[in-house]
Amino acid sequence: MSGRAVPVVGSAAALLDQFGVVDGGVLGGRARLVQEVQHVEQAVCGAHALSRPNWTANDEVWRTIGAYLRATGRDDAVRQYIWQDFLGSGFDRYRTDVEAVERGAGLPATVRVVEFDSGESLRTAYHLIRIFNGHPYHEGCAEQFRRLGLAGKYLDDMADYTADVTSGSPNLLDAVAGLWPDELAAARSAVAGGKVVTAQWWRERCPQTYERYLREIAEHYDHVRAPALRLPLDIYSALLRTRRFWTVSTVRASQRAG
């Protein structure tokens, strides 16, 4: 395993930022991270992190978990799950896949990155909630959390397409577009030309990519059956279909500025 910094994205980045991540890169192997972090409170909700100016929505998830952790005192069980079941079962492969995506490995590697970063991160959130409350494991519930993470990531990558392509970050929509080179070229050209690449733009200009992408979203969405878990997906999906999201939303200001 190389010692160079490896970019980590999304929910895993927010969690791993508390496990020794510096500037979005994981330094060294998991063993080094374990040595540097002795307590879950320090890892998940360190005092240095609470004052960071670039706090994100993903960070807020782990911040909340950290606050609850301190109140329940279930640090040993949580620490064991994070290190052994979450990081121990997939982080090394995740590092390899992120590097592969950087080299242009395409859709399969990008999907594996998202499976870990978004799917397994949300499954981990389920387990932390379960452990905190002393609940038994329920496979169906865990799977719904995993699918929630995946469906949300697909939606988010449509919203963040311009930002991700511009920064060179892994993006599912870009990887799917790569199945049709002409459509990928059209999308990349639109970004380079400063156009706002909306959901409607994809439907009209890249129909094959758009149809395939919607099928992937629907596959994950259909496995999320709890109304409370479906709600954020429904809201996000509805927003992506509105003109206002792309022209007014301050979250997309950087895209409009182009």
Side-chain angles (χ1 to χ4, degrees):
M1 184 180 297
S2 68
R4 76 176 186 84
V6 177
V8 183
V9 296
S11 300
L15 175 59
L16 293 174
D17 185 49
Q18 314 311 320
F19 288 87
V21 174
V22 179
D23 293 332
V26 177
L27 303 180
R30 188 172 61 252
R32 176 176 175 180
L33 301 183
V34 173
Q35 292 173 358
E36 292 177 351
V37 178
Q38 300 300 320
H39 303 287
V40 173
E41 292 92 336
Q42 171 192 348
V44 177
C45 197
H48 69 285
L50 298 181
S51 61
R52 286 187 304 152
N54 59 338
W55 195 262
T56 69
N58 280 326
D59 296 319
E60 185 65 28
V61 172
W62 300 112
R63 179 183 184 179
T64 302
I65 289 174
Y68 195 62
L69 173 63
R70 290 195 301 274
T72 60
R74 297 182 185 272
D75 52 316
D76 289 338
V78 170
R79 181 166 55 248
Q80 179 178 349
Y81 185 86
I82 291 175
W83 288 120
Q84 295 184 10
D85 296 88
F86 178 53
L87 296 178
S89 66
F91 183 62
D92 289 341
R93 176 60 184 270
Y94 173 72
R95 286 168 51 94
T96 300
D97 285 332
V98 169
E99 291 176 320
V101 170
E102 286 184 316
R103 296 192 300 269
L107 183 58
T110 304
V111 169
R112 288 194 301 270
V113 166
V114 171
E115 284 278 355
F116 182 84
D117 170 66
S118 297
E120 291 307 316
S121 289
L122 264 291
R123 191 205 295 267
T124 295
Y126 158 75
H127 280 290
L128 299 191
I129 295 169
R130 177 183 67 81
I131 292 170
F132 290 154
N133 292 282
H135 294 166
Y137 173 69
H138 189 285
E139 174 62 30
C141 190
E143 179 64 5
Q144 287 194 63
F145 270 78
R146 188 181 76 87
R147 296 285 187 157
L148 169 63
L150 291 171
K153 178 60 175 174
Y154 271 82
L155 293 171
D156 204 44
D157 274 13
M158 177 173 283
D160 288 339
Y161 183 77
T162 295
D164 286 346
V165 168
T166 301
S167 66
S169 300
N171 184 282
L172 277 166
L173 184 51
D174 192 64
V176 170
L179 298 175
W180 295 276
D182 290 346
E183 294 193 349
L184 176 63
R188 293 286 187 89
S189 178
V191 170
K195 295 181 179 179
V196 179
V197 184
T198 67
Q200 182 177 351
W201 185 95
W202 284 100
R203 184 172 62 249
E204 295 175 351
R205 307 295 179 84
C206 301
Q208 295 179 101
T209 298
Y210 183 76
E211 182 179 349
R212 167 69 180 268
Y213 205 69
L214 288 190
R215 288 202 307 268
E216 296 290 341
I217 294 173
E219 166 66 20
H220 297 303
Y221 178 86
D222 288 346
H223 284 80
V224 181
R225 303 189 181 280
L229 295 182
R230 275 196 169 187
L231 181 59
L233 297 177
D234 290 337
I235 293 174
Y236 204 175
S237 180
L239 287 173
L240 288 174
R241 293 194 296 270
T242 67
R243 179 179 178 82
R244 184 178 179 83
F245 177 86
W246 301 98
T247 58
V248 177
S249 172
T250 56
V251 176
R252 307 299 157 200
S254 63
Q255 297 183 36
R256 297 198 312 275

